[in-house]
Amino acid sequence: MRALRSSGEPVSPAGSDVARLIQAIVVRVVYLPTRGSGATPWRRMIVLDTSYRDAGQSQSPARIALVAHEMLHVLQRELRDPEFWPSGGFRPSLTRRWIGDSTNYMEVLAYIVGTSIEIDLLPEQEGGKARQLSDWLATMAGEDALNATRAVVKRYKNNSIYRQNYRVEARTPGHRMPSQQWTHWLRVIGLEDQTIEHIRNLATVGQPKVIAKDELEAGG
């Protein structure tokens, strides 16, 4: 994630920042047959598919983006706020998971970072893919953060964790979302201002999608 251009600047500013920040944390990585998905069930632990061992993590921009996505979750959990940035540890609750608690807004931030990295690393000939990713990034980084969380659920409709989060958050005042925008929280996590501006510029290229609440209620 810290590949450099001939000028010495990082190919992906977000990738460089995440790599720098994660070095200060001891993270346990477990490889399991997950069918290509990843997870960060609690503080300082990442689960990746067995195909991600060693060089498998860098075989494509999409794989690098997924690893960065999970690393962003590690950094989020270090904030240790039980409402907005839960640690994921054992916490009995009548409404939420006892282990591995998370929020869909955590996913929004992780997709913002991971998607920007994937766009940065795509070769020029994959312009069509870049445009699709730009639309997704524009949706994630839009002013309507609640719409972004709905977009996560709609796009990954088979993800039971996202669906469960959505049900819990729909009946929770404030939807378990902090009031500040994504730019604020990426700064709190430790990303540089120029990185955040780069992500913002990437997002302006795309067309955000609006996901109505009834689309999810109808199972769309």
Side-chain angles (χ1 to χ4, degrees), residues 103-109 112 136 138-154 162 165-182 209-217:
T103 74
N104 281 347
Y105 188 68
M106 291 173 68
E107 298 299 336
V108 169
L109 287 192
I112 287 173
W136 174 242
T139 304
M140 293 296 96
E143 292 186 6
D144 188 348
L146 193 57
N147 177 70
T149 63
R150 290 195 295 267
V152 166
V153 179
K154 181 176 176 62
Y162 296 176
N165 284 348
Y166 178 76
R167 290 192 295 269
V168 170
E169 292 159 8
R171 59 177 182 265
T172 302
H175 305 284
R176 299 190 76 189
M177 291 173 53
S179 58
Q180 297 90 341
Q181 291 288 317
W182 63 271
K209 295 183 179 180
V210 177
I211 309 299
K213 181 179 177 181
D214 56 8
E215 290 185 57
L216 301 183
E217 293 176 345

Side-chain angles (χ1 to χ4, degrees), residues 68-208:
H69 177 114
E70 300 306 333
M71 287 182 177
L72 205 283
H73 284 326
V74 171
L75 297 172
Q76 289 170 330
R77 292 200 186 281
E78 289 297 299
L79 299 179
R80 302 193 190 189
D81 182 301
E83 184 67 15
F84 302 131
W85 319 107
S87 66
F90 182 73
R91 188 173 181 231
S93 170
L94 294 176
T95 58
R96 304 171 189 171
R97 296 188 301 281
W98 285 32
I99 297 177
D101 186 26
S102 67
T103 74
N104 281 347
Y105 188 68
M106 291 173 68
E107 298 299 336
V108 169
L109 287 192
Y111 280 119
I112 287 173
V113 170
T115 304
S116 75
I117 293 172
E118 187 173 359
I119 293 172
D120 286 335
L121 298 180
L122 278 177
E124 291 185 7
Q125 60 267 31
E126 293 196 37
K129 177 66 173 178
R131 285 190 293 274
Q132 293 175 5
L133 290 173
S134 294
D135 290 346
W136 174 242
L137 180 59
T139 304
M140 293 296 96
E143 292 186 6
D144 188 348
L146 193 57
N147 177 70
T149 63
R150 290 195 295 267
V152 166
V153 179
K154 181 176 176 62
R155 180 169 182 168
Y156 300 99
K157 59 185 178 182
N158 294 324
N159 188 304
S160 61
I161 298 299
Y162 296 176
R163 294 200 308 272
Q164 182 185 29
N165 284 348
Y166 178 76
R167 290 192 295 269
V168 170
E169 292 159 8
R171 59 177 182 265
T172 302
H175 305 284
R176 299 190 76 189
M177 291 173 53
S179 58
Q180 297 90 341
Q181 291 288 317
W182 63 271
T183 53
H184 168 84
W185 288 108
L186 290 189
R187 288 190 184 95
V188 170
I189 289 169
L191 275 69
E192 301 288 348
D193 285 347
Q194 57 265 34
T195 297
I196 294 170
E197 186 62 24
H198 174 73
I199 295 174
R200 194 201 304 272
N201 290 336
L202 291 177
T204 60
V205 176
Q207 296 294 322

